[in-house]
Amino acid sequence: MTFDLVFRARRVVTPDGEIAGAVGVRDGRVAAIEPSLDGARVITLADDEVLLPGLVDTHVHVNDPGRSEWEGFETATLAAAAGGVTTIVDMPLNSLPPTVDVAALEVKRKTARGRVHTDVGFWGGIIPGNLPDLRGLHDAGVFGFKCFLLHSGVDEFPQVQPAEFSAALEELGSFDALTIVHAEDAHTVTDSLPDYAGFLASRPPSAETIAIEQVIETARRTGARAHVLHLSNAGALPVIAAAKRDGVRITVETCPHYLTFTAEEIGDRATQFKCCPPIREAANREGLWRGLADGTIDLVASDHSPCTPELKAGDFATAWGGIASLQLGLPAVWTQARQRGHALTDVVRWMASSPADQVGLARKGRVAVGGDADFCVFAPDDAFVVDRAKLRHRNPVTPYHGRPLAGVVRQTWLRGQEITGTDPLGRLLTRGDS
């Protein structure tokens, strides 16, 4: 057998664990994994490098079109590739128009076409009044549907009320579509004060727990699939675990910033840390890590939600709530994971194979025969200090600036081609691409 490309490595992370060997690529797919292979081109990894699958980030706000000064498809996918991410799924809000009908989806696809350096899929949105549009969006290939149980932060993407949420899950359950939910209770969240303590108090843990209980009970009654986005409250994990044991079709994610930062370290003017729900105390962070370890939390996604520096200025009552971290998720999570005894195989499960499984991308997120030849060449023992000026996303705002992290992404490959930033290699994905 001949191969277009062969990777040889002392360490390759596969679904069966970490091995030493060679990965043969033909026509953009993994064609063989053997102790030794030869090919037209051979890449031999350095002794300190590990071959990982390309990561899959299912929670990215690209904001394009309409708010491209916040981010854009070119800059977002360059940042993703620099972080070892080869597939992103774009959220339906913060762009104009929001992705709440097929016409808006086509506007977004037209904007992205020919400009993406990674593969890109799209979520649809649920807002009041668009129930008749959901089946059309599903048939057009979105990976699922996002809704908010409180104000989204932008007026063109309104929250759904309980009756609307229930009707949406009834409809989506009829064709087994996935609903992803920003789960904070509108009646519990209050106006923020300017300092971090006031902001944290305005969005207490109970706001998440109450909303998650609503999601669980609606999913239980309708039989629909539901996913809780960006969990920050570890106190909600027992409720989620119990629902899973009962057979409710519920999954949950958390984010690198909740696994890295703590409320105790955030200053009263450090609005680069503002996100919703908020970063909580150190003890809560450890609870999230336990939830990952025992499987209650299914995956880790960035919730990359960038904006201009001007919108991040001010105080915690007025600044935009969102963290830009698409390029830094892998080293951020690995830095914390290794301190707690986790292996790279765990990180790959949380950030590659589980997100791919969630959205039905069977060829993504794993180094396996038949899968896409999407790879991240990662040096786990190398280290760097984050410099916001060197990040590839559009605006140099991030809470990670100045933070030392372990693990350096040295190369990222998409379907057997190295992503260099010169030519956009990415494709626009639809649900069922596998």
Side-chain angles (χ1 to χ4, degrees):
M1 297 178 69
T2 59
F3 301 98
D4 308 325
L5 176 67
V6 168
F7 286 87
R8 296 173 178 167
R10 295 176 60 184
R11 299 175 65 188
V12 182
V13 173
T14 77
D16 297 321
E18 194 174 294
I19 64 168
V23 179
V25 175
R26 186 184 302 112
D27 298 327
R29 301 272 190 92
V30 176
I33 302 173
E34 300 289 346
S36 180
L37 293 170
D38 208 350
R41 183 183 180 191
V42 176
I43 305 290
T44 301
L45 270 59
D47 287 348
D48 68 336
E49 294 176 341
V50 185
L51 190 67
L52 308 181
L55 304 188
V56 178
D57 192 335
T58 53
H59 195 153
V60 179
H61 293 269
V62 178
N63 309 331
D64 198 8
R67 292 190 174 97
S68 57
E69 71 275 14
W70 295 17
E71 189 63 280
F73 282 104
E74 182 175 16
T75 51
T77 55
L78 284 171
V85 177
T86 52
T87 303
I88 67 171
V89 188
D90 175 50
M91 284 291 164
L93 72 157
N94 299 346
S95 55
L96 295 169
T99 315
V100 294
D101 55 36
V102 172
L105 174 64
E106 289 309 311
V107 169
K108 183 165 280 194
R109 284 179 169 159
K110 182 178 179 180
T111 303
R113 195 166 288 118
R115 298 174 57 211
V116 296
H117 295 268
T118 66
D119 286 354
V120 177
F122 301 96
W123 295 107
I126 306 167
I127 61 171
N130 84 323
L131 192 67
D133 296 298
L134 301 184
R135 183 60 191 251
L137 277 166
H138 176 80
D139 292 344
V142 299
F143 285 86
F145 298 86
K146 181 177 186 178
C147 65
F148 278 74
L149 302 184
L150 80 173
H151 193 280
S152 70
V154 290
D155 291 338
E156 69 273 5
F157 199 95
Q159 72 192 72
V160 292
Q161 300 301 323
E164 295 164 331
F165 180 63
S166 179
L169 260 67
E170 290 274 8
E171 171 71 4
L172 296 174
S174 71
F175 42 90
D176 202 33
L178 176 64
T179 304
I180 62 174
V181 188
H182 183 123
E184 288 182 281
D185 179 60
H187 302 291
T188 306
V189 170
T190 60
D191 291 337
S192 172
L193 295 174
D195 61 356
Y196 193 72
F199 172 63
L200 191 59
S202 75
R203 304 181 95 100
S206 59
E208 286 188 85
T209 302
I210 291 168
I212 288 167
E213 289 173 340
Q214 178 189 347
V215 173
I216 288 169
E217 290 313 305
T218 309
R220 186 193 306 274
R221 181 173 50 78
T222 62
R225 293 190 293 145
H227 177 76
V228 175
L229 297 165
H230 47 50
L231 180 73
S232 80
N233 170 29
L237 290 170
V239 174
I240 295 166
K244 289 186 171 191
R245 288 193 298 270
D246 289 346
V248 179
R249 302 172 75 193
I250 186 86
T251 54
V252 61
E253 71 185 43
T254 192
C255 303
H257 41 276
Y258 300 130
L259 298 170
T260 299
F261 302 117
T262 64
E264 291 88 342
E265 68 188 280
I266 300 175
D268 286 342
R269 303 292 293 183
T271 53
Q272 66 271 26
F273 289 89
K274 183 178 177 180
C275 56
C276 302
I279 294 164
R280 305 192 188 278
E281 296 81 3
N284 180 83
R285 179 184 65 178
E286 299 314 305
L288 293 174
W289 276 104
R290 288 191 293 273
L292 271 174
D294 67 22
T296 305
I297 298 175
D298 298 271
L299 61 96
V300 178
S302 69
D303 190 10
H304 177 72
S305 185
C307 65
T308 61
E310 294 76 19
L311 288 172
K312 267 296 189 186
D315 57 40
F316 278 96
T318 60
W320 175 258
I323 286 179
S325 62
L326 182 53
Q327 185 171 334
L328 299 170
L330 175 57
V333 173
W334 172 239
T335 299
Q336 298 293 321
R338 71 192 305 196
Q339 295 174 12
R340 293 165 176 81
H342 296 291
L344 277 173
T345 50
D346 299 317
V347 175
V348 164
R349 183 175 69 255
W350 300 328
M351 303 185 76
S353 59
S354 289
D357 290 344
Q358 182 205 31
V359 295
L361 291 173
R363 293 204 308 262
K364 299 293 188 182
R366 67 209 82 216
V367 180
V369 173
D372 285 351
D374 299 350
F375 304 121
C376 167
V377 177
F378 188 59
D381 297 322
D382 203 351
F384 68 106
V385 176
V386 178
D387 179 353
R388 61 189 169 212
K390 296 180 180 179
L391 299 178
R392 302 302 298 270
H393 65 262
R394 177 148 291 163
N395 292 292
V397 180
T398 179
Y400 290 94
H401 177 66
R403 194 173 188 94
L405 295 178
V408 172
V409 174
R410 293 185 176 163
Q411 295 176 6
T412 305
W413 295 70
L414 181 66
R415 285 185 298 277
Q417 292 182 273
E418 185 177 3
I419 301 174
T420 64
T422 303
D423 298 311
L425 302 173
R427 298 176 182 173
L428 304 185
L429 304 178
T430 58
R431 191 192 66 263
D433 284 342
S434 59

